[in-house]
Amino acid sequence: MPKTRVLTGDTPTGRLHLGHYVGSLQNRLAMQDEHECYFLLANMHAFTTRADQPADIRADTIEIVKDWLAIGIDPQRSTIVLQTEVPAIAELTWFFAMLLPFNRVMRNPTLKTEIDAKGLGDQYSFGFPMYAVGQCADILAFRPEWVPVGEDQVAHIEMTREVARRFNQLYCAVSSHAEDADHEKLGGLFPVPKAKVGTVGRLVGTDGKQKMSKSLDNAIFLSDTAKQVKKKIGQMYPGQSRDPDQPGDPDINPVFEYAAIFIDDKARVAELRDRYRRGDNLGDGHVKGEVIEAVNALLEPMRQRRAEYENHDDHVIEIIRRGTARANEVAEETLHLAKKAMSLDFGARSLTWK
Ligand code: TRP
């Protein structure tokens, strides 16, 4: 049995944090063994809002690969793909743009949220909404079954599923009544891929209020030192003021959200919650201490792996090149088959990237 394919990616915007880890990175790691995994560096997408910062985008791209390698993405088993060097993605984007009504793209809730969050108003580039169509091509170029993502990306995967169905119906004679799972069996080129959302959809930031995010300055980065982690968690507001021997409410204390996620011993978490609730001589400092220890235990092996690449951008670039060469073989095959289905088979092209 060939392994099922998985594709996901990140836009290089800076270092990855714990929110990314529990929202989607952890999921990817778990999939590396049983699936054929493709991890995409969406550097083209970075240009949709930062076209004036090419050098920063390059640095962020390299930084993300270091984060991936640090968490345990293994370039021997998984393929790292640089979006801007896979021309099939750009070509498919054009064709897919014709399969989506303009208003359908503009109604995409994730795009709307981003426009609000980044305060873009009506001043965004033409390429900005285009990235959502591009994302359909990122995914379908690899014809994956699964797309592990955070909750915020589900709207994009839904659009990708629509494109896959539409393409298969228009160009591969798949019936509009076909079940999603049957599309390939019925001659469709594309599977209708499924989102796989991480266990924690939304991780609260160290401000205890908003979603963890680099731009809100409330993030614990995967590359933070043990000291930085201690400081960031140590300064968190526990949601209430209380004495260790006074009853408290763990449910309004964001530190307990971290405890539930990062302390592996769930019986210990239950005990801490119970003692906190009863005011059984359990201070906030103690709870934080256990959470700090747990987070640092998770990050320590990552720090060690990261150190191997820290001053070796050349190694990182070599990993990107090798992965992208392999990715082009798959994406070119998809493009070739797509063109054939669209009566565009005027001659096969061979493309390699050295
Ligand atoms: N838009 C995604 C993000 O910002 C990154 C991304 C680009 C992606 N292409 C993708 C994710 C394809 C999954 C599949 O996080």
Side-chain angles (χ1 to χ4, degrees):
M1 269 276 284
K3 288 185 177 180
T4 52
R5 281 195 192 147
V6 167
L7 177 129
T8 188
D10 291 311
T11 307
T13 54
R15 293 172 298 157
L16 297 173
H17 54 62
L18 283 177
H20 295 121
Y21 186 76
V22 297
S24 111
L25 298 173
Q26 209 173 17
N27 234 332
R28 297 181 198 178
L29 278 175
M31 295 182 118
Q32 273 194 124
D33 292 323
E34 279 133 57
H35 304 270
E36 183 182 323
C37 291
Y38 295 85
F39 300 120
L40 177 94
L41 298 157
N43 61 335
M44 182 78 91
H45 292 191
F47 278 82
T48 66
T49 54
R50 300 162 67 203
D52 56 336
Q53 302 160 35
D56 289 349
I57 293 173
R58 184 187 177 93
D60 287 347
T61 302
I62 291 170
E63 206 56 36
I64 285 219
V65 179
K66 287 180 186 170
D67 275 331
W68 286 356
L69 296 169
I71 63 167
I73 300 268
D74 173 4
Q76 303 297 335
R77 280 182 293 164
S78 301
T79 303
I80 291 179
V81 187
L82 184 68
Q83 191 179 43
T84 48
E85 293 302 334
V86 182
I89 292 175
E91 289 183 57
L92 288 170
T93 301
W94 251 107
F95 291 121
F96 292 168
M98 266 71 85
L99 303 183
L100 290 161
F102 180 79
N103 289 322
R104 164 68 182 94
V105 177
M106 300 313 289
R107 271 201 316 271
N108 178 312
T110 296
L111 284 183
K112 284 194 161 177
T113 308
E114 269 177 287
I115 289 167
D116 289 345
K118 295 181 177 149
L120 301 177
D122 57 1
Q123 294 305 305
Y124 47 82
S125 66
F126 193 93
F128 177 73
M130 189 71 172
Y131 101 69
V133 184
Q135 186 155 340
C136 301
D138 295 338
I139 297 169
L140 295 178
F142 296 90
R143 286 172 283 153
E145 187 161 324
W146 292 103
V147 188
V149 282
E151 212 165 47
D152 60 321
Q153 295 295 307
V154 172
H156 291 334
I157 313 307
E158 193 43 56
M159 224 167 74
T160 306
R161 292 161 59 79
E162 287 172 29
V163 167
R165 289 186 199 108
R166 189 99 187 102
F167 188 100
N168 293 341
Q169 288 161 9
L170 281 183
Y171 305 123
C172 310
V174 172
S175 150
S176 57
H177 302 293
E179 298 286 335
D180 288 344
D182 295 337
H183 270 241
E184 282 179 290
K185 207 169 57 198
L186 295 170
L189 172 58
F190 295 111
V192 182
K194 297 177 286 281
K196 194 172 176 74
V197 178
T199 46
V200 183
R202 177 188 187 276
L203 183 69
V204 71
T206 52
D207 60 358
K209 293 191 188 82
Q210 308 209 66
K211 181 178 161 177
M212 186 175 284
S213 136
K214 181 186 137 202
S215 54
L216 295 171
D217 199 21
N218 65 1
I220 297 173
F221 295 101
L222 302 181
S223 50
D224 276 349
T225 62
K227 227 169 136 180
Q228 284 169 316
V229 170
K230 187 172 176 201
K231 188 164 167 207
K232 287 180 181 179
I233 296 176
Q235 289 175 345
M236 281 174 74
Y237 178 61
Q240 59 215 290
S241 80
R242 64 179 268 282
D243 295 321
D245 52 2
Q246 293 299 313
D249 183 356
D251 291 330
I252 61 167
N253 182 345
V255 181
F256 273 99
E257 274 190 52
Y258 290 179
I261 295 167
F262 298 107
I263 296 178
D264 289 332
D265 181 351
K266 299 306 168 204
R268 178 64 185 159
V269 176
E271 186 187 341
L272 288 173
R273 286 177 62 88
D274 181 56
R275 284 184 53 197
Y276 197 83
R277 212 185 278 289
R278 287 189 286 110
D280 179 18
N281 193 29
L282 182 67
D284 284 295
H286 183 90
V287 181
K288 287 177 179 176
E290 292 202 22
V291 170
I292 289 165
E293 199 179 311
V295 169
N296 275 330
L298 172 70
L299 298 185
E300 189 48 36
M302 298 185 197
R303 292 183 191 118
Q304 284 175 17
R305 272 192 296 264
R306 190 174 232 285
E308 295 171 31
Y309 296 98
E310 204 54 274
N311 297 310
H312 294 286
D313 285 6
D314 49 336
H315 289 183
V316 175
I317 289 169
E318 188 51 33
I319 287 169
I320 295 173
R321 294 171 82 97
R322 264 191 251 137
T324 305
R326 201 174 338 151
N328 266 321
E329 286 173 25
V330 177
E332 280 297 309
E333 186 192 20
T334 303
L335 180 66
H336 174 71
L337 294 169
K339 284 182 169 172
K340 202 162 140 190
M342 288 186 282
S343 304
L344 291 169
D345 49 338
F346 288 98
R349 132 182 129 184
S350 90
L351 185 146
T352 51
W353 193 55
K354 294 263 161 48

